[in-house]
Structures are given as C-alpha cells and as structure tokens.
Amino acid sequence: MSKSKAKLNDIARQMMSGVVQILVEGYIEEDIQSVLNPSVKIPGIWSGSGFFVKYQDLEGYIVTNAHVVRNAVKIEISSMLTSEERFEAELVGLVKQLEPDVALIKLSEKELQRFKKLAIQPIEYLELREGTNPSRGEMIKAIGYPLGMVEPNITGGEITNFISGSEFSSERFVTNAAINPGNSGGPSITEDGKVIGLNTAVIVDAENIGFITPASFIKIIIDNLILLSEPQFAGIGGKLQKNAENFNPFLNQSQAKGVIVSKVLANGFLEAANIQAKDVILSINQAEFDRHGIVIGKEGLYRHKNIFDVMKLVPIGEEVTINYLRNGKVHQSTARAMPNPEKGIISSPILNEREYLEVFGMVIQPLSFEIIQAIQEVDPFAQIEMLKILDQEKPVLVVTHIHQGTQADQMEWPLGELILKVNEREVHSLSELKKALKGPSGKAVLMECQSGTFGYFQLEEESEN
C-alpha cells in the first residue's frame, strides 16, 4: 500500500467519527396522489447520512442532503460516539429544489449537551475544502451509513469527471467510489483532511458512477441559512445562447467568443448591469468564456466549468465585474449579485407548504413544476398546455383533482384545467379566487379556463356540501 493511500485511510478513520446517521419520519413526496391532492399524505420512514460541520464557533450543526430531510416530520441522528442513542435534530434550512442538494440541521442546546455527555470523545467537526477544486484522478474516501447500516461505511475511489451546471442545475463532481442509498448526505474527503463535497446521488443501473455536491456550494448555503434564513444563489437574470462565426458580421466581432444575451429579465442581474439583448458576455470577474459559455484557461482544459457555475458561486450582494461586447466595442460594467427574479410558475416540493382550495368538488392549486410532472402520468396532453405558460410572470391556478359526485364531476371537468377568470375577474392566486367567489347566497359562479372550458357553479349548493 502506498504512503498516500495509507495516509488517506488514517484520515478517513479519524473523520469517520464526525459522520452521523440521520433517521427520518415524514411524507413520501414522490406519491402522485399527494401532489395532485395535498390532503392525501403518505407517511414513510427512511435514513441518510450527515456530518458535523466546522463553521466559525457554532456547535451542533450538521450538513446533509436536502432530499434526506425534505418533507420530514421528525429528524433524529445517531453517532458511533454515543452507541445507539438517538438525538432529536431540528431543520435550519434546505434547498427545496435540490439544486444543489444541500440542507443544514442542528441539535438543540439541550440535545447537544446530552450528546457531549454520552460521547466517548469530543465531536469531530469536519472542515470544508474551499478555493481549490479537485482534479481528475484525485483519491477520495466517501463516508456514510448506506442501506441502514448502524456503523459508518468507508468506500474508496477517485474523482473521475465533472458535470457543469446550467440555469436550472448545479455543478457536480463524478466519482467511482460506491455511493449507495443511505450514503446520501455523508462527506467525501481527501488527503488534506477536508471535505471536498457531499455524497449526493448514484445513477441506477450504472456501475461505479456517483455524484458529489462541491464543498463551495455547501459554504454558500450555510452562509445564507445562518445570515438570511434561506438559501439563495446568484443568477444571470436573463437567457443566453451560444455564439457562432455566422454572427461575426451582425455583432461586429472578429471571432466568436463569449455568449450572446438573447433576453434580459426585468429586475435581474443583467438589467442591473445595463446589459442589453444581443450583447456578448466575454467575462465575469475575469473568468473568460468561449462561445459555448465554458471558462477559458487552464481549468477549462480539464473540466467544463461554465458561466452559470461561475455566477452561482458569487455571494449574494457582492459586486460583480462583467465585460461585454456591444457594436464591436468592449465595455465593462458592475452590478451586485442577486437571485434570478421569481417567475409565476415555481417549484413547490414541500408537502406541508402547498396551498390549495377545495371548491365545487375541485382541488385547485397554484401551478408548480411538481404538478406539471405529475400530470404527465395522468394526461400528457394537459401537460403540454401547462408547459406553454412556463415563462409567465404571474402565477396560474390549476385544477388537480375532481371529487366524484360533485358539481365539477357532473360537468365532467377534465384534470389540469388552467383557470383564467371567475365572474369576469382575472384570478392568479388562491386569495384572488376566494375574493372572486364571495357573493350573496345563491349566486352562481362562472369559471373560465385557458382551454375555453367554462363551468357554471351554484354557491348555495357548495355551502350545503
């Protein structure tokens, strides 16, 4: 065995004591019934991994995957330091959309003191590796509690590849170290004794391909959760497209370098930086981009880090310098990093946070990405109609469930109807819908949908029901 490998083994055994098993009681979020009718909640139990993180002088904080604790009702941890004792933990915050898949939980002061009292040695707080990124072939150890094991498991491997982020996803490292169900949320560590990232996922039916969320994202999320109470990432605030030599005469450029801005969103970063559509972004904070939006330079030879990856790692509120081409001339501008402006159609993955209204035998909810995905398995044609309005600025209400024997059922209203008006008034939210439905007893309600379907409902009958 090489000295390097032996050293990594010793470090992994030491850091293993800072890794915990996370046991969760909650709701199974993947159930389609729960998405289309939030009053239906399917209980379940599952487990994952996490680790005590070193952050300033805070104690008892644990990093894990968001998917481990999302929709949790009760969270407990256990550690090899305290035999089989369990300690109740509370959620500090998480990235609800799982991009990146990171959450932060903590032991209350009472539970932390109980943990310390029972522990056979002081808590091992693991330090995040920042700044330097791994290289292909760098050896790592993944630590966690796979398949419900009661003792931590260590698997070895190396960084084999990188996956760039996008407007909707975050960068990930690829490893051949075994990451199995239950390993999620545990750390991947390197020879320097630091956490390179968070064990996140494995591809089903693929051999030795696992994903790691980089430590740099974890640091930003912890900062956000401690300071802002919610995770936020800087966004471009617009739509981009690849450059090409064909554009040279039109853009007055000598060669296709940098990415073209095709759309600027109101109240977003590009607008704040005075960038216009058809400008070409050449660099952000001195990171230059080729025509595909990939970082140019030594790092670009070994991995495809792109413009979205660069932007997301800038802390919210920090000043960003952007160089761009307009009419053949290079300009420079600055603006504060900010999240992308929120659209009308959003993600709503937390079951307990989903708002809905039952009226005339229908379950009506604000349209979300989860609903669009669930509708696909019920009616693909209804999903197509929903996908047409993804870019809408205002929220949209959708019918997600019809109760049998009700007014809506008698009119044979289809699932997935997008509600536009109630009694000639536009409605975009459940509060607007409630206001529109208020009226004298016995008054009828005319409800109109985007597809042209309309319903004529009796309020008196509804109140009796």
Side-chain angles (χ1 to χ4, degrees):
M1 183 185 297
S2 67
K3 289 184 179 180
S4 178
K5 191 171 183 179
K7 180 182 176 183
L8 183 55
N9 287 340
D10 292 340
I11 290 170
R13 280 192 288 268
Q14 178 186 340
M15 297 178 73
M16 182 174 66
S17 60
V19 182
V20 301
Q21 185 172 39
I22 300 176
L23 306 115
V24 182
E25 295 179 23
Y27 300 118
I28 301 173
E29 61 188 62
E30 292 85 1
D31 193 276
I32 295 177
Q33 293 181 71
S34 298
V35 175
L36 300 181
N37 185 1
S39 64
V40 176
K41 294 179 180 178
I42 313 298
I45 56 173
W46 58 90
S47 67
S49 305
F51 63 92
F52 285 104
V53 64
K54 187 174 185 179
Y55 182 84
Q56 298 176 2
D57 58 352
L58 295 179
E59 290 188 296
Y61 281 76
I62 297 166
V63 169
T64 185
N65 282 142
H67 78 258
V68 172
V69 292
R70 195 167 72 170
N71 292 307
V73 174
K74 184 179 182 181
I75 305 170
E76 292 181 313
I77 69 152
S78 64
S79 164
M80 63 181 294
L81 299 180
T82 58
S83 186
E84 295 185 359
E85 293 289 338
R86 291 190 178 189
F87 303 83
E88 194 161 343
E90 52 195 52
L91 179 67
V92 177
L94 76 163
V95 181
K96 297 177 183 178
Q97 289 76 30
L98 309 183
E99 288 293 343
D101 191 352
V102 181
L104 188 65
I105 63 177
K106 70 172 184 176
L107 297 178
S108 67
E109 186 59 32
K110 180 181 177 182
E111 289 291 80
L112 178 59
Q113 294 308 317
R114 187 167 75 92
F115 188 102
K116 287 181 175 180
K117 184 178 179 180
L118 294 173
I120 58 176
Q121 68 182 52
I123 295 172
E124 183 79 28
Y125 285 93
L126 308 191
E127 186 176 350
L128 299 173
R129 175 168 154 182
E130 295 180 68
T132 57
N133 284 307
S135 57
R136 275 186 184 81
E138 183 167 353
M139 299 299 296
I140 66 160
K141 292 288 186 181
I143 310 173
Y145 288 79
L147 307 173
M149 293 180 181
V150 296
E151 294 186 17
N153 190 62
I154 299 176
T155 57
E158 58 189 24
I159 298 297
T160 58
N161 208 344
F162 304 93
I163 296 180
S164 299
S166 70
E167 184 181 357
F168 307 106
S169 62
S170 56
E171 181 186 24
R172 289 181 180 178
F173 304 150
V174 183
T175 181
N176 58 359
I179 297 176
N180 296 296
N183 250 128
S184 295
S188 279
I189 58 110
T190 51
E191 195 178 290
D192 60 4
K194 294 182 180 179
V195 176
I196 200 173
L198 194 64
N199 304 332
T200 297
V202 64
I203 296 181
V204 179
D205 297 330
E207 289 188 17
N208 301 328
I209 296 180
F211 296 117
I212 298 170
T213 298
S216 50
F217 279 116
I218 301 171
K219 172 64 166 57
I220 283 185
I221 290 166
I222 295 175
D223 287 340
N224 284 337
L225 291 175
I226 300 297
L227 300 175
L228 305 174
S229 299
E230 63 175 307
Q232 293 182 322
F233 296 93
I236 290 292
K239 300 292 184 182
L240 307 176
Q241 69 179 73
K242 292 184 178 183
N243 206 338
E245 297 296 330
N246 283 36
F247 287 118
N248 288 354
F250 178 74
L251 298 172
N252 198 13
Q253 61 186 12
S254 57
Q255 67 176 109
K257 191 165 74 170
V259 286
I260 301 172
V261 177
S262 57
K263 184 178 181 180
V264 175
L265 300 179
N267 304 313
F269 169 75
L270 289 181
E271 184 183 74
N274 296 314
I275 304 296
Q276 301 173 5
K278 298 182 178 64
D279 285 347
V280 180
I281 298 176
L282 301 174
S283 69
I284 289 177
N285 286 350
Q286 299 184 331
E288 296 183 23
F289 308 109
D290 66 14
R291 74 180 189 91
H292 302 281
I294 303 300
V295 175
I296 299 172
K298 185 177 180 181
E299 191 171 35
L301 293 173
Y302 304 108
R303 57 187 297 198
H304 282 190
K305 190 168 187 176
N306 64 26
I307 187 170
F308 298 107
D309 300 326
V310 170
M311 200 67 204
K312 285 178 182 177
L313 290 175
V314 179
I316 298 294
E318 188 173 291
E319 191 170 84
V320 178
T321 301
I322 180 169
N323 288 346
Y324 61 97
L325 184 74
R326 179 182 295 169
N327 298 324
K329 295 183 179 180
V330 177
H331 302 268
Q332 187 175 93
S333 179
T334 60
R336 300 280 178 187
M338 64 181 75
N340 279 329
E342 198 166 88
K343 292 283 190 178
I345 314 303
I346 61 173
S347 179
S348 182
I350 310 298
L351 299 186
N352 285 337
E353 293 181 2
R354 287 182 186 151
E355 296 181 333
Y356 66 99
L357 185 66
E358 294 198 40
V359 60
F360 309 126
M362 297 179 287
V363 174
I364 299 174
Q365 301 183 67
L367 183 60
S368 67
F369 294 122
E370 288 74 22
I371 290 172
I372 294 174
Q373 189 173 5
I375 286 288
Q376 180 184 22
E377 300 195 29
V378 180
D379 184 354
F381 295 104
Q383 188 206 35
I384 291 172
E385 290 301 310
M386 294 176 186
L387 290 173
K388 291 178 182 176
I389 61 167
L390 274 182
D391 244 2
Q392 183 157 312
E393 300 293 333
K394 293 184 178 181
V396 177
L397 296 179
V398 59
V399 177
T400 59
H401 184 74
I402 306 289
H403 292 291
Q404 292 184 356
T406 61
Q407 292 188 62
D409 184 39
Q410 290 167 9
M411 294 183 192
E412 297 188 4
W413 262 43
L415 202 65
E417 286 291 352
L418 303 171
I419 298 171
L420 294 183
K421 294 180 180 179
V422 174
N423 287 340
E424 304 296 330
R425 292 171 57 181
E426 277 195 22
V427 292
H428 292 280
S429 66
L430 293 178
S431 58
E432 289 178 355
L433 175 59
K434 290 176 184 177
K435 286 180 183 177
L437 290 174
K438 286 181 178 178
S441 179
K443 185 177 179 181
V445 171
L446 177 65
M447 195 173 286
E448 300 172 67
C449 300
Q450 180 171 288
S451 66
T453 298
F454 68 94
Y456 195 61
F457 303 98
Q458 303 300 321
L459 279 172
E460 184 177 24
E461 207 174 307
E462 174 67 17
S463 64
E464 288 175 1
N465 287 339

